[in-house]
Amino acid sequence: MGTSALSSSSGKWSTAQLIGFRFIAAYFVLYDLPIALGSVPLIGRVAGYLFTWMQSLSLWTGAHVLHLSKPIIIAPTGSGDTMIGWVSNFVTLALAVMIALVWSGLDRHRRDYRKLYEWLRILVRFALAFTMFGYGFNKIFPLQFGRPGLERLVEPFGDLSPMGLLWSFMGYSIAYNIFSGTGEALGGLLLCFRRTTTAGALLLITVLGNVVILNFAYDVPVKLFSTNLLLMAIFLAAPDMPRIYNLIVRHRPTQPTEIKPLFATPPMHMTSMVLRALLLAQVLYAQVKFGRQAYVASQSESSKPLLYGIYDVQQLTRNGQPVPLLVTDSVLWKRVVFSKFDRVSVQLMNDSFSRFTAKVDTIHQTVALKSRFDSTRSMMFAYARPSLGQLVLSGRVGSDSVVATLKLSEKKYLLLSRGFNWVQEQPFNR
């Protein structure tokens, strides 16, 4: 399965085909060009300019066209479904419609766009392939999800967000991460060659279809981007779908599609193959190198903070007076969790969490806590480690002077200790 039916069929395209192609071409060029250019050495900066231009246009559109009630806030949150993301996609759609209308008026005598269609497929193929390499290798080297952190182990199941539940499920199994990442990376690799493009697109329709459903079902804020990726895969597979239907469903023979060279002269054809091979090698090398280095670093002992662990509160004094550790007192500390990425979580007696980022000063033996969701909230504690597994935090909480004596938990969690078993006489569903 190679060159699409549109590019190989003879005769004039219908009016619907011509207009549809102009819209699709405009949309994918606007959407995919920054993605494709961002992976090309030396000219990747152009992608940044395109992104900045689209962002500025989206801000103007939100204020003057959509008349949004609140100004759009641009901040690195990790979410792809931000207001700026939705407005940018609206702008892309609107521009694609306008371009298609103007294009149709200026080029109304065109019979077909077969050559341009092939170049559009190349852009979509490599934009989707490079994106899938990123997602795929972040799972082959388990980085995207990661094993459930210490905070997850003590957090009540019912308090997990839908996304937190999905991340914990995915992060638990390294084998499943590698399996799903291999599907993404393999699909991307197959897109890099014309003869295997349809096979790669079909594989990615399966993979991305599952990803899109998970994002919608578990409220993961990558709904918009993953849907666009799925549309790219469908676009690449669509021309061969009638032939696949005839072969698999109707059990009728189908003829192979002729794959014509993009360039008329052998030197140009050979040059394009060499450039593609170099670009693919560079992208794959960068992905593997980064993935391996990041995973090794994440697994080293040095990646764990100095106070890493789950600590149960043994004793608490407020303004010099002992405080009874009553489970009915919802504002009292129950445990303190020092986890990776300089994160600290304080679990209260009602099992709710206050989440902070931590900066530990080993010289002055202090730990500064800053709320992850409220920049005005911060605390400073002096810390001491009088004995093995014991930690004492002294500081102020509001207007009170607090001293908390903590003990490192020795509890073994079944989720991490159960492991894999070939033989099971009974289901171990706990």
Side-chain angles (χ1 to χ4, degrees):
M1 300 174 188
T3 307
S4 68
L6 278 176
S7 62
S8 60
S9 61
S10 60
K12 181 181 177 181
W13 287 11
S14 67
T15 301
Q17 285 178 311
L18 292 169
I19 296 175
F21 171 79
R22 292 165 187 147
F23 168 74
I24 293 173
Y27 182 82
F28 279 142
V29 168
L30 290 169
Y31 196 92
D32 289 348
L33 194 58
I35 299 175
L37 293 179
S39 301
V40 179
L42 303 180
I43 63 173
R45 184 174 295 182
V46 176
Y49 295 142
L50 293 173
F51 178 78
T52 301
W53 172 79
M54 178 59 75
Q55 193 175 80
S56 300
L57 182 57
S58 299
L59 289 173
W60 183 89
T61 301
H64 297 91
V65 178
L66 300 178
H67 301 290
L68 299 177
S69 58
K70 297 180 180 179
I72 297 176
I73 299 175
I74 300 177
T77 63
S79 171
D81 292 339
T82 57
M83 183 57 71
I84 187 66
W86 284 101
V87 174
S88 294
N89 212 110
F90 170 80
V91 170
T92 302
L93 277 169
L95 286 176
V97 171
M98 289 187 288
I99 291 171
L101 291 174
V102 174
W103 189 356
S104 297
L106 297 176
D107 199 22
R108 57 184 176 274
H109 299 301
R110 174 77 63 172
R111 290 176 56 87
D112 63 69
Y113 291 101
R114 288 185 175 85
K115 198 67 176 180
L116 188 58
Y117 174 76
E118 284 303 324
W119 284 104
L120 177 63
R121 283 175 63 86
I122 291 174
L123 172 65
V124 176
R125 281 167 50 201
F126 282 93
L128 181 55
F130 294 160
T131 303
M132 299 318 298
F133 287 154
Y135 278 109
F137 284 105
N138 268 329
K139 294 182 181 70
I140 293 173
F141 301 99
L143 297 171
Q144 182 179 358
F145 300 103
R147 297 276 280 178
L150 298 182
E151 179 183 296
R152 289 289 189 227
L153 298 178
V154 298
E155 188 171 11
F157 181 84
D159 287 341
L160 290 176
S161 68
M163 181 177 173
L165 175 61
L166 176 62
W167 245 241
S168 298
F169 162 76
M170 291 293 298
Y172 168 77
S173 175
I174 293 178
Y176 188 72
N177 266 269
I178 294 174
F179 171 77
S180 57
T182 299
E184 293 174 343
L186 178 60
L189 183 62
L190 291 173
L191 292 185
C192 295
F193 306 92
R194 295 174 73 193
R195 291 185 180 275
T196 57
T197 292
T198 301
L202 291 174
L203 174 58
L204 289 179
I205 287 174
T206 304
V207 172
L208 287 170
N210 182 58
V211 170
V212 170
I213 291 299
L214 288 174
N215 287 342
F216 276 88
Y218 288 86
D219 195 30
V220 180
V222 199
K223 306 174 189 71
L224 191 58
F225 187 52
S226 61
T227 300
N228 275 287
L229 296 179
L230 178 58
L231 291 175
M232 294 181 209
I234 293 173
F235 166 76
L236 293 172
D240 280 321
M241 292 310 296
R243 299 169 58 245
I244 295 173
Y245 174 77
N246 277 333
L247 179 65
I248 296 178
V249 179
R250 304 183 69 183
H251 300 285
R252 293 182 177 181
T254 181
Q255 296 300 318
T257 301
E258 180 184 4
I259 301 179
K260 297 180 180 180
L262 286 174
F263 301 98
T265 63
M268 287 293 294
H269 180 67
M270 182 59 66
T271 300
S272 68
M273 292 182 63
V274 171
L275 290 176
R276 180 187 62 185
L278 291 175
L279 177 60
L280 182 57
Q282 186 272 333
V283 171
L284 290 175
Y285 173 77
Q287 291 287 349
V288 173
K289 180 181 179 181
F290 170 79
R292 181 181 179 278
Q293 290 178 344
Y295 181 70
V296 170
S298 69
Q299 297 304 301
S300 65
E301 286 298 319
S302 61
S303 68
K304 295 180 179 180
L306 176 66
L307 304 177
Y308 182 81
I310 300 172
Y311 295 85
D312 296 319
V313 176
Q314 285 187 311
Q315 185 178 345
L316 190 67
T317 64
R318 183 188 297 128
N319 301 322
Q321 300 298 318
V323 178
L325 300 179
L326 303 176
V327 295
T328 55
D329 191 343
S330 61
V331 300
L332 285 184
W333 290 11
K334 182 178 182 179
R335 59 174 59 95
V336 180
V337 181
F338 289 85
S339 54
K340 289 185 176 181
F341 311 112
D342 296 323
R343 291 184 174 181
V344 174
S345 300
V346 177
Q347 187 177 24
L348 305 181
M349 286 296 184
N350 63 0
D351 284 332
S352 65
F353 280 88
S354 295
R355 295 175 169 87
F356 303 88
T357 56
K359 185 175 182 181
V360 178
D361 185 338
T362 57
I363 297 177
H364 299 94
Q365 290 196 307
T366 60
V367 53
L369 302 183
K370 186 174 182 179
S371 174
R372 285 159 53 188
F373 308 109
D374 182 0
S375 59
T376 64
R377 186 183 179 195
S378 61
M379 295 183 289
M380 174 72 76
F381 292 95
Y383 74 86
R385 306 172 83 175
S387 61
L388 184 64
Q390 193 174 52
L391 177 66
V392 178
L393 297 178
S394 306
R396 301 195 70 83
V397 178
S399 59
D400 296 320
S401 175
V402 173
V403 178
T405 302
L406 314 175
K407 177 67 175 178
L408 186 64
S409 174
E410 298 180 356
K411 181 178 178 179
K412 303 298 181 182
Y413 291 89
L414 180 61
L415 182 64
L416 302 183
S417 62
R418 166 62 178 168
F420 176 80
N421 297 270
W422 285 107
V423 178
Q424 298 187 59
E425 301 298 341
Q426 295 181 0
F428 195 75
N429 187 4
R430 303 283 176 84

